[in-house]
Amino acid sequence: MASLENTGWSVPGLLLVLLLVFDSDVLHVRGLEVTTGKVSTLEAMNGSTVLLPCKYHSCIGISNLYFSWHFNNNGTMEKLCDGVVPSEGVEPKVKVKHQRIEFVGSSKHENISVLLWNITFEDEGEYTCFARNPKEKYRNHSAIYTLRVVDQMREVDNTLTVIIVSVSGGVIGLAIIVMVIKALVVQFLMKDDEKNKECLVNASGNDNTENGLTGAKADNKGTPKA
């Protein structure tokens, strides 16, 4: 077995490498993350109110977590609101800088979402949710949510869905009919089989009688006279 001296590694050097690797993994796994959910694009009608979702998460906890929302206004990042979450479970102090923005998040659910009221076509674009955690050496992370504004919602063509449902219903109905017919045929065959068995039993009795077996007519003849 090779020793540390033969490999050229010293004990302090090996420990340093192991610590660096371990620390890198920990930071990668436990680092601050910000997400806008599974769907990052929303299409909404002009004049409606939309939710801009955002959540943060850190496995090692937070301390004075700073967050903000920005709107990409033709290349210029316009701040909509920002705030600080002092610690876990403590509600943040939020400064709203846009008249149609309302903060609806809660630190109890690690939620920093906002509502955008009465949207217009000018509100269409990218919204960035940003967070920074001093407890993780000021590690930061951000996520982008895209808003599309339309005059009216597009009608979804359900023709294919209707066809699939109709075909599925027809197949299920046909399967039920086949099962009912099969049950009736089996029942009919069972009755016919019972009749055949009765017929065979009767026929066997008649044969025994004609052959003079026990209980046959031959046994009933009188004793011949001397």
Side-chain angles (χ1 to χ4, degrees), residues 26-27 30-32 57-62 88 133 135-137:
V26 169
L27 289 177
R30 298 184 177 182
L32 175 69
H57 180 69
S58 175
C59 291
I60 65 174
I62 62 168
E88 296 181 16
N133 188 15
K135 193 172 183 178
E136 297 180 64
K137 299 179 180 180

Side-chain angles (χ1 to χ4, degrees), residues 25-204:
D25 291 339
V26 169
L27 289 177
H28 177 72
V29 173
R30 298 184 177 182
L32 175 69
E33 291 184 355
V34 173
T35 176
T36 55
K38 295 181 179 180
V39 180
S40 60
T41 301
L42 173 68
E43 189 173 271
M45 286 185 60
N46 181 31
S48 64
T49 298
V50 297
L51 173 69
L52 303 178
C54 186
K55 285 190 173 185
Y56 63 86
H57 180 69
S58 175
C59 291
I60 65 174
I62 62 168
S63 176
N64 292 322
L65 176 81
Y66 172 81
F67 69 90
S68 65
W69 274 96
H70 286 79
F71 172 58
N72 188 351
N73 190 0
N74 295 321
T76 301
M77 299 303 290
E78 176 185 349
K79 183 181 289 186
L80 305 177
C81 72
D82 64 352
V84 175
V85 183
S87 59
E88 296 181 16
V90 179
E91 295 303 327
K93 301 175 182 179
V94 184
K95 295 180 181 179
V96 178
K97 303 180 182 298
H98 191 285
Q99 60 181 359
R100 288 185 288 114
I101 283 289
E102 178 185 356
F103 180 78
V104 293
S106 173
S107 61
K108 294 179 180 178
H109 304 288
E110 300 180 334
N111 192 328
I112 48 178
S113 304
V114 296
L115 282 179
L116 178 58
W117 292 85
N118 193 24
I119 63 173
T120 66
F121 290 103
E122 286 73 23
D123 294 322
E124 182 173 281
E126 295 182 345
Y127 292 80
T128 301
C129 177
F130 172 86
R132 182 175 62 239
N133 188 15
K135 193 172 183 178
E136 297 180 64
K137 299 179 180 180
Y138 292 90
R139 176 186 173 88
N140 62 76
H141 195 238
S142 62
I144 296 176
Y145 196 79
T146 304
L147 175 65
R148 306 293 184 196
V149 183
V150 296
D151 259 333
Q152 58 182 4
M153 301 302 291
R154 291 177 295 181
E155 294 184 2
V156 179
D157 187 2
N158 294 323
T159 304
L160 181 60
T161 303
V162 172
I163 293 174
I164 293 174
V165 172
S166 300
V167 172
S168 299
V171 171
I172 294 173
L174 181 61
I176 294 174
I177 293 174
V178 170
M179 292 175 65
V180 172
I181 294 175
K182 181 180 179 180
L184 292 174
V185 170
V186 170
Q187 187 176 4
F188 175 78
L189 292 176
M190 290 178 64
K191 288 184 177 180
D192 190 58
D193 188 50
E194 290 178 359
K195 290 181 179 180
N196 291 335
K197 288 180 179 179
E198 291 178 1
C199 182
L200 289 173
V201 170
N202 293 333
S204 177

